[in-house]
Amino acid sequence: MYLATTDAAAATTKLTRGRVAGPVLALGTVSLVTDISSEMVTAVLPLYFVLQLGLSPLQFGFLDGLYNGVTALVRLAGGHAADRGGRHKLVAGTGYALSALSRLGLLLAGGGTAGISAAIAADRIGKGVRTAPRDALISLSSPPDALGRAFGVHRAMDTTGALLGPLAAFALLWATADAYDAVFVVSFCVGLLGVLLLVAFVPGRAALGPVAAPATGPRVPLRSRIAEPLRDAAFRRIMAAAALLGAATIGDSFVYLLLQKQLDFAVRWFPLLPLGTAAVYLLLAVPAGRLGDRIGRRVPFLFGHAALLAAYVLLLVVGDGTVLLAGVLVLVGVFYAATDGVLMALAGPALPAARQASGMALLQTGQALSRLLAAAGFGAAWTLWGSRAALVIAVVVLAAALAGAAALLPRTERRSSWS
């Protein structure tokens, strides 16, 4: 199987040298449309929860952790289901459809926190189900030495949607006098369009090469099959480093709430805050991916977290409104551009083709669980000791995590040798 995969990768390299493969562009288009839908909602949720529903930072921290961490088990199930029989497109499409339907759940929930939480959970389950199969399709359709560029192009297209989503939400709230229901309805319609684009234009796993036949011999328990990627030492180190850094990442929702608190601007401008981050991400995603292909993906990944650390420090020490706002949004954008797709490109070569989705699901699960702890911990610290003390703790924890990750990450990248 490994030799066949290597031959296929070599052939793909010849066909795609200097350009990005068609499946990557198709998946990028689906992600662009879907992100318009999701970011319309994401942009208004912190405002909706804290300023309209009156939730405390502790309550919002747990909900934000739910938003990012509820996907843990479904990521693993989604990755395993995709690898089993090569059903990457079907599993990803199911996740996209569930996320689209969750917008109707937000509409039906009214102002009830329980209903909103259930809708958010459904959206995150959909995201968890689709992310690993989607990233596996990107990895399988690209040569190993161009994975950074492939993921960079996909993330740039994805981020274009993240840029347009808050603009659409802002325009709708402005035109409808803060009618959140209008945002949820339009978000559902756009999300449904993303599902239709996936069905029509994204090739299935079988179109990218032969699917590994089911293994013969004694039946292996499901838990062992899901954890199989951890047999590779390099992948274990990558996963440990990502989880460590995730546990020190408080999330951009809290960053935006801190900006609003410190600068005290009108709440109607709040949905526009992600635009600065998304614009920087869009500009730098492809260059960061290409840089990782040239010098190794470890360096941009660590540099991105250093940029996030600098953003936290700015929130602590800078008082000027313009410098603080621009600096924080730029640094958070650099963080996402240098880490999101780069991490998947870093992990891809350590995984065999038959376990791409399962391995990426494990990696994403580790991040989701660690970010759940980070969001809940920061929300609790803010509630107990105030926002400034919580931010000081976040700076210290992220600095320590960055040092630990630098020691953990492999200094060389190689193809997995097991099948």
Side-chain angles (χ1 to χ4, degrees):
M1 185 278 293
Y2 175 69
L3 290 176
T5 302
T6 304
D7 292 342
T12 305
T13 301
K14 293 178 182 178
L15 291 172
T16 61
R17 190 181 302 278
R19 62 185 177 88
V20 175
V24 176
L25 296 177
L27 286 164
T29 302
V30 173
S31 293
L32 187 156
V33 172
T34 302
D35 241 40
I36 293 175
S37 170
S38 63
E39 291 301 321
M40 286 179 67
V41 174
T42 301
V44 303
L45 279 182
L47 185 68
Y48 188 49
F49 283 151
V50 176
L51 301 181
Q52 179 155 323
L53 298 184
L55 300 185
S56 70
L58 176 59
Q59 291 172 311
F60 176 74
F62 278 109
L63 284 176
D64 189 61
L66 175 68
Y67 195 80
N68 290 290
V70 74
T71 59
L73 293 178
V74 296
R75 285 180 190 270
L76 298 176
H80 174 71
D83 282 336
R84 190 176 177 83
R87 297 174 292 194
H88 296 65
K89 179 177 177 178
L90 175 62
V91 175
T94 301
Y96 279 111
L98 182 58
S99 290
L101 291 173
S102 73
R103 315 292 188 249
L104 294 182
L106 287 170
L107 185 65
L108 297 174
T113 304
I116 292 173
S117 299
I120 289 174
D123 176 61
R124 293 301 91 182
I125 289 172
K127 182 174 177 63
V129 166
R130 72 179 184 254
T131 301
R134 180 204 67 198
D135 285 349
L137 285 172
I138 294 171
S139 183
L140 290 166
S141 63
S142 307
D145 61 353
L147 279 176
R149 181 181 62 200
F151 277 104
V153 168
H154 174 269
R155 293 322 195 247
M157 297 179 73
D158 182 271
T159 306
T160 301
L163 198 63
L164 296 175
L167 280 175
F170 177 77
L172 280 170
L173 289 177
W174 189 286
T176 60
D178 295 340
Y180 289 92
D181 288 355
V183 175
F184 299 151
V185 169
V186 174
S187 174
F188 165 72
C189 295
V190 177
L192 190 59
L193 174 61
V195 176
L196 296 177
L197 289 172
L198 176 80
V199 172
F201 297 109
V202 174
R205 166 69 181 93
L208 303 178
V211 180
T216 58
R219 183 175 178 83
V220 181
L222 175 61
R223 182 176 61 183
S224 298
R225 292 198 300 272
I226 290 176
E228 191 174 6
L230 293 175
R231 288 168 51 189
D232 186 274
F235 180 76
R236 287 198 304 270
R237 294 171 71 89
I238 293 168
M239 184 170 173
L244 179 63
L245 288 167
T249 304
I250 65 174
D252 47 347
S253 293
F254 273 122
V255 171
Y256 299 148
L257 285 172
L258 287 166
L259 280 174
Q260 198 279 331
K261 180 177 183 293
Q262 293 190 32
L263 302 180
D264 195 28
F265 51 79
V267 295
R268 70 169 61 96
W269 302 107
F270 189 90
L272 294 181
L273 287 177
L275 292 181
T277 297
V280 176
Y281 189 179
L282 177 61
L283 290 172
L284 297 181
V286 176
R290 292 173 66 90
L291 180 65
D293 289 338
R294 290 194 180 99
I295 68 172
R297 289 126 194 175
R298 178 180 182 274
V299 175
F301 184 69
L302 292 173
F303 177 80
H305 284 87
L308 184 64
L309 178 62
Y312 294 172
V313 172
L314 274 184
L315 284 166
L316 276 175
V317 303
V318 175
D320 180 84
T322 302
V323 173
L324 177 61
L325 180 63
V328 168
L329 295 182
V330 167
L331 288 168
V332 174
V334 170
F335 160 68
Y336 280 114
T339 60
D340 188 11
V342 170
L343 177 60
M344 296 299 105
L346 179 63
L351 297 165
R355 290 291 180 267
Q356 284 281 319
S358 299
M360 290 183 178
L362 273 174
L363 182 58
Q364 292 157 3
T365 296
Q367 277 196 312
L369 290 176
S370 59
R371 287 177 177 176
L372 168 62
L373 294 175
F378 186 81
W382 186 341
T383 301
L384 292 173
W385 304 307
S387 60
R388 185 170 183 82
L391 195 52
V392 170
I393 294 171
V395 167
V396 173
V397 171
L398 181 54
L402 190 56
L408 280 170
L409 283 174
R411 295 184 178 275
T412 58
E413 298 171 26
R414 58 175 178 80
R415 291 288 298 171
S416 173
S417 59
W418 58 276
S419 59

